[in-house]
Amino acid sequence: MTTKASLIAVTIDCEDPVRMAEFWSKVTGFDIQVAESEYSAVGDGTTSIYFGRLPGYKAPAWPSDDKQFHLDFRVPDVAKAVEEYEAIGATRPEFQPGEGWVIMQDPEGHVFCVCPERST
């Protein structure tokens, strides 16, 4: 039997950990736990997103085979969330491969999806 692990955090490379913590705190509602030039974190007491400074970080192009991951978030109103996220620094790339959700990029180019709540 394999030991089961509990996910506690995801760590994302970036150029500016403080900027990433500020942005993602607004998107998720998570508290900023740490905000330093080399490392930052946001979390809700159970799950965290960490940001580690990587000098010379370059985000992969979208769309591209270079993309290594993306985060998905459920929201009650996709259009409203997209508008709000753009207002705080996210961008909406032209290429959108599906319907019902929206691909976005944070201020450093990390891809994330804004998805509707599940229908019952």
Side-chain angles (χ1 to χ4, degrees), residues 19 22 25 29-30 33 35 44 50 60 62 65 68 72 75 92 96 100 107 109 111:
R19 180 171 79 162
E22 290 168 350
S25 176
F30 287 0
Q33 300 168 325
D44 66 358
Y50 301 148
W62 171 257
D65 291 339
Q68 297 177 352
D72 292 345
V75 297
R92 180 180 177 166
Q96 296 288 321
V111 175

Side-chain angles (χ1 to χ4, degrees), residues 77-91:
D77 183 329
V78 171
K80 180 179 180 190
V82 166
E83 182 179 313
E84 292 172 350
Y85 301 161
E86 286 176 323
I88 61 171
T91 56

